[in-house]
Amino acid sequence: MRFLLTLLAVLGFATAPAQEIKLAITDIVGLEELQREYGAFVETLSRETGMTISFFPVTNRVAAVEALRFKQIDLVLTGPAEYVVFKKRTEAVPVVGFTRPDYFAAIIVKADSGITEVSQLKGKKVGFAEVGSTSGHLAPMQLFQDNGLNPLKDIEAVHLKRKVAWEAFKRGDLAAWGENYQKFMALRDKEAEAGGMSAGSFRVIARGRDLPNDLLLAGTHVDQAAIAKIRQAFVSHSAKLVAAILTGEETQKYKGMAFIPAPADGEYDYVRAMYRTIGYPEYADFLGE
C-alpha cells in the first residue's frame, strides 16, 4: 500500500489540494459586487500564492468580526477605524497595509464666510459623514480636538450622507464641513465642471495628518506559514496585485497605492485617540451599527 501511494504521488494523482482561504471585505455587501470590485485581485492573489482564496460575503462589520472570531473566515480587508475594533475583539494579525494617497480629513468652509480659523466655528453647525466613517467622521472630529475645540461640546455636529451634506453646505445651512479631502475635491471639481460654484468658492482651514492604511488582517487561527506566503506575494508581485485591484470602480480609492508588509499596530494609536475624543475609549464597538 505504501508503495502504491508513493507511486500515485509521483504520477500526480495524490497531490495535496491548494490551501483554501476565506476572505471578507467590510465595505462591500453581496457576492456579485465583491466579484465586480475585487474579483481580479482575488484571482491574482490566488495564483501568486498557490492558495484557493474565495469570497465570504458579510452584511456589515459586526458580521465580519464575528466571522473572524469564530474562524468562519481567515482574512478580512478593512479600514483603519475598523481595525482597532477587530484588534480589540479578535487579536487579528495585520498582514499587509493598503496605502491610500491623500487619505486625510479636512475642515472646509465657504471662502466668503469670513472664517479662517477652526476656533471661529465654536457654537456653529458643522456637517460630518455617517457615524463611524474614518475619514468623514472620526478624523474630522479629531481635527477639531487638535485645534482646540471639543467636538462634542463646542460645535453642533450634523451627520448626513455625503451628497446631502454637500448641498446643505453650498446652501449655507452648515458653517463648515468635515470630510475626506479626496471626496470633497471630487465634488468641488464636479460642481465647477457643471457650471456651478467655482473651486475658489471654498477654503480648507484645517488639514489632518495622513490616515493609517487600510489593512488585510488574518485571524489568529491562520497558520503563520500561510501568512508569510501571502505577505511575500505582495512583496514579489506588487505591480500585478495593484493593477488587479484597480479594475474595480470603488477600488479607485487605491489609485497610486503601495503595499506595506507587516504594518505596526502602533500606527493606529491616532485612530484610538479619535475614539476617545468622541467618547468611546474602549474602541470595542463599530459606531453607527
Side-chain angles (χ1 to χ4, degrees), residues 16-22 46 49-54 74 221-227 229-230:
Q19 186 172 358
E20 294 187 7
I21 298 289
K22 295 289 186 182
S46 295
T49 58
M51 300 175 179
T52 301
I53 301 174
S54 58
D74 307 296
H221 63 282
V222 180
D223 182 71
Q224 288 297 312
I227 293 175
K229 183 183 289 187
I230 294 168

Side-chain angles (χ1 to χ4, degrees), residues 52-174:
T52 301
I53 301 174
S54 58
F55 290 117
F56 187 100
V58 290
T59 53
N60 54 43
R61 297 170 295 178
V62 174
V65 80
E66 290 303 301
L68 191 65
R69 194 159 69 91
F70 288 103
K71 304 178 183 179
Q72 294 174 303
I73 59 175
D74 307 296
L75 301 175
V76 59
L77 176 59
T78 196
E82 291 78 12
Y83 164 67
V84 298
V85 179
F86 272 94
K87 182 67 176 176
K88 185 69 176 284
R89 293 173 60 170
T90 71
E91 285 297 323
V93 178
V95 178
V96 64
F98 289 44
T99 66
R100 291 173 60 176
D102 299 322
Y103 182 41
F104 59 86
I107 298 174
I108 307 118
V109 298
K110 293 171 74 174
D112 62 1
S113 66
I115 297 172
T116 58
E117 302 288 342
V118 173
S119 60
Q120 294 174 268
L121 292 171
K122 187 170 184 177
K124 298 187 183 298
K125 187 179 293 185
V126 180
F128 297 89
E130 293 94 329
V131 172
S133 166
T134 304
S135 59
H137 173 212
L138 276 71
M141 284 277 185
Q142 186 63 38
L143 197 46
F144 274 95
Q145 184 73 28
D146 293 344
N147 281 272
L149 290 186
N150 184 329
L152 301 182
K153 298 178 180 179
D154 294 337
I155 61 173
E156 182 183 348
V158 181
H159 294 278
L160 300 166
K161 290 187 178 298
R162 182 165 287 115
K163 291 183 179 180
V164 176
W166 174 241
E167 295 301 325
F169 176 54
K170 289 191 299 178
R171 285 195 307 269
D173 296 342
L174 302 171

